[in-house]
Structure formats: structure tokens, C-alpha cells
Amino acid sequence: MTADTPHIGDDESLAETFWAVASRLRRQTQQSLAPWDITPSQSRALGVLGRHGEVRPGTLAEHLRIAARSATEVVDDLQTRGLVERRPDPVDRRATLVALTAEGNRVSAAIRTARRAEADRFFGHLNDADRAELSRILRTLRA
């Protein structure tokens, strides 16, 4: 065990290290979004719509794990920028769907590429085995 290796049971040190890494990753992610003047919430919404296609605002809120009111604000901002549009739901005339516009698809793809490059830089000093182990551990903690 090295001097900088946390001791078993030293949860506070492990938690502090985790939050420091998460904070650094969040800052770098925000910097990678700067060319599009997009907030992390807006970027995540574009990602959800890119993966799932058009969805109801409530479904978008569930995917983003935010309140429906907050999702409405995100959609309003993205719609003002021409990145998403609201459409009537053909199955339920009372409901609305949110979908990416052509520009939203372009921006979403560009952001995905930039975020992938940023993640490669961030995790680049880890070898393949360490990346696989970290991924396994994080997926276990997320579940």
C-alpha cells in the first residue's frame, strides 16, 4: 500500500477523492460545451432526444431526472435557439412531443464528438485494464 492509497474504511478520503475527480470532469465537460454556449442540462437533453427520438416533455424530464417544470425551461431555451421543436402527438392530440431539428441533430452530434474526445483526454492516462475496472466499479455504484 502506498502513502496515497486510501486505507480500507477511510470512506471520507475515498468520497473526497471521488468528488474531486467528478468536479474536475464536470469543469472540463463545461469547457468542452463552450463553443455551443450550451448548458450541461441542455446538452443532456439533446443527447436524450438524439438517442430516443421525439418524446413527451414528461418523458424527457424522467430521462434527465429533473422536475417537469425544469424540463420545460430546458426545452424552451433549446427551442428559442432552433435546436428542438414541439410537435403535436399524433396518438394524443392533447399531448406534445419534443424533437430535434436538423440544427439540433448537427449540434448534438458535434457535442457527442467533443465530449468523447474530452473523455479520451480525461481518462487517457489509464491503461485498458484500469479503464475497464473503473467502468465496472462506477456501473456497480450507479446501480
Side-chain angles (χ1 to χ4, degrees), residues 119-127 131:
D120 287 344
R121 279 191 297 278
F122 187 83
F123 296 107
H125 66 281
L126 298 176
N127 64 39
R131 278 183 168 198

Side-chain angles (χ1 to χ4, degrees), residues 14-126:
L14 181 60
E16 288 173 358
T17 301
F18 177 85
W19 285 115
V21 170
S23 179
R24 181 173 162 228
L25 181 59
R26 187 173 29 261
R27 275 192 313 277
Q28 287 182 226
T29 298
Q30 287 174 334
Q31 290 170 354
S32 74
L33 296 174
W36 298 278
D37 192 28
I38 292 277
T39 67
S41 293
Q42 292 168 346
S43 171
R44 288 177 48 232
L46 292 175
V48 167
L49 294 169
R51 284 188 305 280
H52 297 282
E54 59 187 16
V55 297
R56 290 183 178 178
T59 302
L60 180 62
E62 289 171 14
H63 281 288
L64 297 175
R65 296 183 178 153
I66 60 176
R69 178 179 35 108
S70 298
T72 298
E73 292 172 6
V74 170
V75 171
D76 287 346
D77 292 341
L78 291 171
Q79 186 172 19
T80 298
R81 300 182 58 168
L83 301 176
V84 301
E85 63 185 3
R86 287 179 168 96
R87 301 177 181 162
D89 185 334
V91 177
D92 181 351
R93 294 183 325 188
R94 298 168 298 167
T96 301
L97 298 173
V98 179
L100 291 174
T101 62
E103 179 65 4
N105 273 309
R106 186 192 70 72
V107 169
S108 180
I111 288 171
R112 258 191 326 276
T113 299
R115 289 185 80 168
R116 195 171 303 119
E118 185 60 39
D120 287 344
R121 279 191 297 278
F122 187 83
F123 296 107
H125 66 281
L126 298 176

